[in-house]
Amino acid sequence: QVELVESGGGSVQAGRSLRLSCTASRSTGCMAWFRQAPGKEREGVATIDAVGMTTYADSVQGRFIISKDNVKNTLYLQLNSLKPEDTATYYCAASWTYSCTGIDYNFWGQGTQVTVSS
């Protein structure tokens, strides 16, 4: 079992930045960030696999950066140039698999709210 605890959400104005953190209780393989806005389906934001390869949703490419500290078992998401449409609850997820391609995530955090005002 792996526990994931997110932090770093908040309310900011458009154009500003935030950094989200997700600390895992132990090391895992692929990790990812998802988000869900009210009334919308959950969407994948970014992934990072066991060797550090990353992918991004088109909507955040060039603005968000996913990274991880393997020593601290902590996943990060740097959110830059935030837009009102980025407002959502952000969740981290983890899997035992090394690759992030076509997988189901075994573990989920409780979520952290990001609100961006115009």
Side-chain angles (χ1 to χ4, degrees):
Q1 188 71 14
V2 177
E3 293 186 7
L4 302 174
V5 179
E6 299 108 333
S7 62
S11 297
V12 297
Q13 289 187 320
R16 304 298 292 268
S17 298
L18 282 174
R19 189 176 80 157
L20 307 182
S21 300
C22 171
T23 299
S25 57
R26 57 171 294 177
S27 62
T28 65
C30 169
M31 297 189 78
W33 288 98
F34 289 79
R35 67 185 180 184
Q36 187 166 21
K40 295 187 177 181
E41 293 187 356
R42 185 178 64 196
E43 65 170 339
V45 175
T47 69
I48 185 165
D49 70 12
V51 296
M53 291 185 65
T54 60
T55 67
Y56 296 92
D58 289 344
S59 58
V60 306
Q61 180 77 47
R63 299 188 299 122
F64 292 5
I65 302 171
I66 189 171
S67 62
K68 63 180 179 177
D69 184 327
N70 291 325
V71 174
K72 297 180 179 179
N73 289 331
T74 299
L75 177 72
Y76 302 100
L77 186 69
Q78 179 69 37
L79 294 71
N80 299 320
S81 301
L82 281 161
K83 304 175 180 180
E85 51 263 44
D86 295 319
T87 295
T89 302
Y90 284 72
Y91 299 89
C92 70
S95 170
W96 294 125
T97 64
Y98 275 33
S99 171
C100 294
T101 302
I103 66 169
D104 292 323
Y105 291 88
N106 307 100
F107 309 103
W108 293 83
Q110 81 288 353
T112 186
Q113 179 67 36
V114 172
T115 302
V116 185
S117 59
S118 58

